[in-house]
Amino acid sequence: MDQQLLQQLQKLRGQNTLIVGIGNTLKGDDGAGPLICQMLQRSQIGAEVIDAGTVPENYIQVIVKKAPANLLVIDAMDFGATAGMIELFKPEQLSSTVSSTHTLSPRLFVDMLSRQIAVDVFFIGIQPAQTQLGQSISVLVKQAMQRLLRILTDIFPPKSESFNPPRKSV
């Protein structure tokens, strides 16, 4: 399954991509999107990253100004799979069968963006096990987050600093 996700995301390698995490870290697995973004920021991944929390609509103008070619939105989504499964969706695939926990539907978020810039949008959904207030991330979703972190770090390797070997003294 992860190999399939890696293959689907390969085409984004080297492209101007913005990664946005959506979710509520106070509601168990719903915090997966923001927590992955925090991990990606620490690893200095080769893509821009925004933790939008529960209000992605507040970042629409920021995204428009950055004008990425691709937008990857990471969110805990109920798509009827086993907890911890990761699935890639295009916006048109998001329907009544995929539910999000946010006030602004993911589809409306994309529509608002698409009116202002041309951007390819992909949703990375992680199937939650628990999303009640006060719960922590489940083991299965933690494992999924680690797998996704490895995949995204592979696709967008950290920006390398220029290497200057030490000079030999004469």
Side-chain angles (χ1 to χ4, degrees), residues 9-80:
L9 293 174
Q10 281 291 1
K11 62 183 174 185
L12 303 182
R13 186 183 298 274
Q15 293 189 25
N16 178 11
T17 300
L18 177 63
I19 300 171
V20 175
I22 300 175
N24 186 339
T25 56
L26 300 176
K27 294 175 87 178
D29 294 341
D30 191 47
L35 292 172
I36 288 172
C37 283
Q38 291 166 21
M39 292 187 281
L40 291 171
Q41 287 167 333
R42 281 194 297 274
S43 68
Q44 299 179 335
I45 192 168
E48 284 203 65
V49 179
I50 294 175
D51 170 2
T54 58
V55 286
E57 60 272 20
N58 289 356
Y59 292 89
I60 288 175
Q61 289 311 309
V62 173
I63 295 167
V64 167
K65 285 183 182 140
K66 291 183 181 297
N70 304 293
L71 180 66
L72 274 180
V73 180
I74 303 171
D75 191 10
M77 296 178 165
D78 186 356
F79 48 95

Side-chain angles (χ1 to χ4, degrees), residues 36-168:
I36 288 172
C37 283
Q38 291 166 21
M39 292 187 281
L40 291 171
Q41 287 167 333
R42 281 194 297 274
S43 68
Q44 299 179 335
I45 192 168
E48 284 203 65
V49 179
I50 294 175
D51 170 2
T54 58
V55 286
E57 60 272 20
N58 289 356
Y59 292 89
I60 288 175
Q61 289 311 309
V62 173
I63 295 167
V64 167
K65 285 183 182 140
K66 291 183 181 297
N70 304 293
L71 180 66
L72 274 180
V73 180
I74 303 171
D75 191 10
M77 296 178 165
D78 186 356
F79 48 95
T82 306
M85 292 296 294
I86 304 169
E87 205 57 58
L88 187 69
F89 298 97
K90 288 292 284 167
E92 55 272 14
Q93 292 176 283
L94 299 181
S95 65
S96 56
T97 58
V98 177
S99 66
S100 177
T101 59
H102 315 295
T103 49
L104 182 69
S105 78
R107 193 67 195 266
L108 184 56
F109 173 69
V110 171
D111 289 346
M112 292 170 70
L113 266 176
S114 299
R115 285 187 206 127
Q116 299 181 55
I117 58 170
V119 61
D120 279 332
V121 182
F122 304 90
F123 284 87
I124 298 177
I126 301 173
Q127 178 68 48
Q130 57 199 28
T131 57
Q132 284 76 33
L133 189 61
Q135 291 185 323
S136 57
I137 298 276
S138 68
V139 171
L140 292 172
V141 169
K142 268 187 195 170
Q143 292 168 348
M145 290 168 54
Q146 290 301 321
R147 294 191 321 267
L148 183 55
L149 182 66
R150 283 193 297 274
I151 290 169
L152 293 174
T153 305
D154 179 54
I155 303 255
F156 306 105
K159 299 169 185 135
S160 59
E161 296 177 28
S162 60
F163 175 70
N164 293 320
R167 294 182 181 190
K168 294 180 182 174

